[in-house]
Amino acid sequence: MSAVELEPTAEAGPARTARAAGAFGRLFRSELWLIFGRRRNWVGGLILASVPVLIAVVIKTSGAGEGDSFVFGQITDNGLFVALAALTVELPFFLPIAVSAIAGDAVAGEANLGTLRYLLVTPVDRARLLAVKLGGIAVFTFAAVAVVAGVGALIGLALFGAGDFVTLSGSSLGFWAGLARLALVCCYLTICLVALGAIGLFVSTMTEQPIAAGITVLVVTVVSQILDQLSQLAAIHRFLPTHYWLDYAAVLRDPVNLGDLGPGVASAAAYTAVFAAAAWARFSTADVSS
Amino acid sequence: MSVTDGAGPAPAPAEQAIGVPADGMSHHGTAAVSTSGLTKRFRSGQLAVDGIDLHVPTGAVYGFLGPNGSGKTTTIRMLLGLLRPTAGSADLLGRTMPAAAGEVLPRIGALVEGPAFHPYLSGWDNLMRLDAADRTAPAATAKDRVLAALDRVGLTAAAAKRYRHYSLGMRQRLGIAAALLRPRELLVLDEPTNGLDPQGTREVRTLLAELASGGTTVVLSTHLLSEVEQVCTHVGVMHRGRLVAQDSLGALRRQGAARAIVTTTARHEAASVLTRLGMTEVLVSADGAGALLGDQDPAALVAALVHAGVPVTGFGTTGTDLEELFVHLTGEGFDVSG
């Protein structure tokens, strides 16, 4: 009989846990390879990276403008502010587009290609698949934010050098302290955007059309930002997924009060938990007929 | 021959014709696949699979026949845990699905409704991804497995090519390679020769015969009767969501009306040989003799005739017995079921 020689299933606890972690790691690496090996995503990354380049070149050639905001006004003094300026202008739309596209693709893309059925009969446990997908979205989100910040910092430092890092409070920080603040902003925005990714993962389990899932998430983002503008709706503002995004400005104060980021982190964590759970509830028993 | 219960919307001429009581199939012994009252009603209200009792003996090559839309693929999806049955249960390799999916599915290779891979990854990368997804597969030997699977289906030369540039036949081969990534106890193959050229079709049949002789149970969903006759030991026929017939190929042949026709000058000697072999409805014609083929092996029959000194100048069997039986059972041949 050509029975498979399955590895013993009654392994000791630690060995089994280690192997399970290894198996998770393999699929997770494969997932990252799928995301980062795809040309479409590289093009998206280039578009994200072009914004800080554009900002830096325009300000270098024309000088600082009259009515510039604080962040833009600081660019000529410290190149790191190119990164902050780029994150600020990409946060409402460009970064959400990138996250929505990847999150919408997570399950719906596999369903659309038909590869979902082959993953499931391999078998990949459905909860494990969602965990791997959410992990992939999180890594991609951080990479997208880091590309904008990294390219911005590099071209900013190249064109404007590293002068005083002036905080919103008026004090000056050294180069490394300034860089640390920028890293903190990146982490905060990643947490906020991963919440959007979790919403996308949930939507992605509802359809076989990755584009439709991505657009749905983008619509959620834009509508949330519009509602956040209407003062009549102040009562619901704190429940909107985008409401706390701009709180990263707290990091630019001196001394920095991390407690100011608390509500944003809590909101993002709640959105991530609720929608990851919803995705699981929907997907764990769903009929896969794609 | 087992015929399922005839209550329901589907016209069931088969039951009266074959006249064997319902549930005549014995369910003892080991079964690679065994379902009981397996039913799927979609949310649209469509009853795709209607209380079927599949029984695939271990080691069998089971031809799962039926017109398009008769419920074969829905059944396979339920077996593999992709769809939840509305009612009934399915056991694979002795374990209940979908509860035992994690334990059972690594021992099963499947091709469901055609191959599906990431178009912008190469054949190699696609198989590596599926291998990475299998938590029971040791990482250290992944490359060996992928290499062996590609080699087995003749795709080694195209391993580095992107899947989007594969021809239909190459895609089908990659799908089979994925099913063969690891040694399997059971293969569930949905139309595995679809899109293959005659050479590829022959290769797949040889491969299946090879796997079957090694002890692997194969469930082969197809609408090609020639495929069933060449490789299958057992057959199940679906029609409008119901399993209208299920038995060994030999037993089904007995139900069919195929006749062996011997062309010879020694007509009466030939007829007596056929009678001696236990064949029925033996007739002597102008240029030879004939009888109901039953489950006789045509090759052995010719050997027996020659051994008895009958000068055989021609030998043949009439019609495709399975085809006649199939049309008889489904009442409509290969038309799409509604």
Side-chain angles (χ1 to χ4, degrees):
Chain A
M1 170 116 207
S2 76
V4 192
E5 286 186 24
L6 281 175
E7 292 72 33
T9 46
E11 287 172 292
R16 192 172 189 168
T17 312
R19 240 170 49 82
F24 183 90
R26 270 188 88 199
L27 183 58
F28 188 57
R29 278 196 300 279
S30 166
E31 186 64 28
L32 294 183
W33 163 244
L34 209 59
I35 292 174
F36 292 101
R38 194 167 175 182
R39 202 182 313 167
R40 182 192 79 174
N41 297 343
W42 280 96
V43 173
L46 277 179
I47 293 171
L48 290 178
S50 65
V51 172
V53 174
L54 186 74
I55 292 171
V57 169
V58 166
I59 291 185
K60 183 69 181 175
T61 49
S62 324
E66 281 294 304
D68 278 348
S69 65
F70 171 76
V71 166
F72 275 79
Q74 297 299 317
I75 287 177
T76 48
D77 291 333
N78 187 317
L80 289 180
F81 277 89
V82 173
L84 290 167
L87 286 172
T88 306
V89 297
E90 295 202 48
L91 187 57
F93 203 63
F94 268 22
L95 282 167
I97 285 182
V99 175
S100 304
I102 296 298
D105 201 44
V107 177
E110 301 265 13
N112 191 260
L113 290 174
T115 46
L116 182 60
R117 63 176 183 267
Y118 285 107
L119 283 177
L120 294 181
V121 304
T122 291
V124 178
D125 177 74
R126 295 185 182 205
R128 177 162 71 113
L129 184 62
L130 286 179
V132 164
K133 289 292 180 183
L134 187 58
I137 292 169
V139 171
F140 173 83
T141 302
F142 180 76
V145 172
V147 159
V148 175
V151 170
L154 286 176
I155 193 159
L157 293 173
L159 295 185
F160 305 106
D164 283 348
F165 189 101
V166 179
T167 64
L168 280 170
S169 317
S171 61
S172 287
L173 299 177
F175 175 76
W176 293 110
L179 198 62
R181 296 292 174 98
L182 177 59
L184 201 54
V185 169
C186 288
C187 291
Y188 178 75
L189 292 183
T190 299
I191 291 169
C192 291
L193 288 166
V194 165
L196 196 62
I199 297 175
L201 182 68
F202 169 66
V203 176
S204 190
T205 61
M206 312 269 284
T207 171
E208 289 167 21
Q209 299 301 326
I211 307 277
I215 289 176
T216 303
V217 182
L218 205 55
V219 168
V220 167
T221 314
V222 173
V223 169
S224 169
Q225 291 181 69
I226 292 171
L227 296 181
D228 210 19
Q229 301 285 318
L230 299 173
S231 59
Q232 293 86 344
L233 299 177
I236 64 158
H237 281 175
R238 63 202 178 96
F239 299 113
L240 295 172
T242 61
H243 179 65
Y244 296 101
W245 283 7
L246 296 175
D247 283 7
Y248 71 85
V251 175
L252 303 180
R253 294 205 166 81
D254 196 36
V256 61
N257 179 11
L258 286 179
D260 292 344
L261 300 181
V265 171
S267 165
Y271 264 101
T272 305
V274 166
F275 279 92
W280 180 80
R282 153 85 196 161
F283 187 57
S284 61
T285 58
D287 276 351
V288 174
S289 52
S290 59
Chain B
M1 157 138 254
S2 159
V3 173
T4 51
D5 175 41
E15 282 111 47
Q16 293 122 26
I18 293 170
V20 171
D23 202 25
M25 170 70 63
S26 72
H27 282 269
H28 54 75
T30 52
V33 179
S34 164
T35 74
S36 166
L38 195 64
T39 301
K40 182 67 186 181
R41 186 186 287 278
F42 286 114
R43 264 185 303 185
S44 62
Q46 187 207 347
L47 191 58
V49 175
D50 185 8
I52 68 171
D53 299 323
L54 279 181
H55 182 83
V56 179
T58 299
V61 179
Y62 186 98
F64 197 31
L65 274 168
N68 296 326
S70 59
K72 300 190 300 286
T73 300
T74 302
T75 302
I76 287 176
R77 282 181 179 272
M78 282 193 283
L79 291 180
L80 297 173
L82 293 170
L83 296 180
R84 301 214 152 221
T86 310
S89 64
D91 285 7
L92 286 190
L93 303 174
R95 302 289 308 275
T96 302
M97 285 293 290
E103 195 265 314
V104 164
L105 289 180
R107 296 146 65 193
I108 297 172
L111 183 66
V112 191
E113 235 176 315
F117 294 95
H118 291 280
Y120 44 90
L121 293 185
S122 67
W124 174 276
D125 288 338
N126 268 300
L127 290 192
M128 282 300 273
R129 174 163 170 83
L130 283 177
D131 192 83
D134 184 354
R135 62 192 309 170
T136 64
T141 46
K143 286 181 179 173
D144 301 337
R145 279 191 298 277
V146 172
L147 204 59
L150 286 170
D151 184 54
R152 201 151 193 193
V153 298
L155 272 183
T156 311
K161 207 167 162 178
R162 279 169 183 246
Y163 179 72
R164 65 187 311 156
H165 300 306
Y166 276 23
S167 68
L168 183 56
M170 289 162 81
R171 292 174 178 204
Q172 196 73 19
R173 284 163 190 257
L174 192 63
I176 296 170
L180 298 177
L181 261 178
R182 309 190 65 190
R184 312 285 193 185
E185 290 171 54
L186 170 65
L187 286 173
V188 180
L189 304 174
D190 196 359
E191 311 268 356
T193 56
N194 193 21
L196 290 177
D197 53 23
Q199 168 70 17
T201 304
R202 202 154 47 229
E203 283 171 25
V204 167
R205 280 181 192 157
T206 310
L207 187 61
L208 288 184
E210 211 178 284
L211 291 162
S213 68
T216 307
T217 308
V218 181
V219 173
L220 181 68
S221 147
T222 181
H223 59 253
L224 301 176
L225 287 162
S226 60
E227 204 156 83
V228 169
E229 295 205 282
Q230 285 177 44
V231 300
C232 294
T233 60
H234 290 71
V235 178
V237 180
M238 289 287 286
H239 175 56
R240 297 198 184 173
R242 305 179 66 84
L243 189 66
V244 292
Q246 172 173 254
D247 213 325
S248 72
L249 190 60
L252 273 179
R253 277 225 175 89
R254 267 196 297 278
Q255 299 297 330
R259 293 181 68 83
I261 306 290
V262 186
T263 313
T264 176
T265 49
R267 302 179 297 160
H268 295 284
E269 287 84 343
S272 66
V273 170
L274 295 180
T275 308
R276 220 171 35 242
L277 288 170
M279 296 173 74
T280 55
E281 293 186 31
V282 178
L283 292 173
V284 177
S285 62
D287 58 351
L292 271 183
L293 184 59
D295 60 352
Q296 286 281 348
D297 176 17
L301 197 54
V302 175
L305 286 163
V306 172
H307 190 72
V310 175
V312 179
T313 57
F315 182 83
T317 55
T318 55
T320 309
D321 47 341
L322 268 188
E323 186 165 345
E324 283 165 14
L325 184 69
F326 189 92
V327 172
H328 186 62
L329 287 170
T330 64
E332 59 183 77
F334 285 115
D335 295 340
V336 173
S337 291

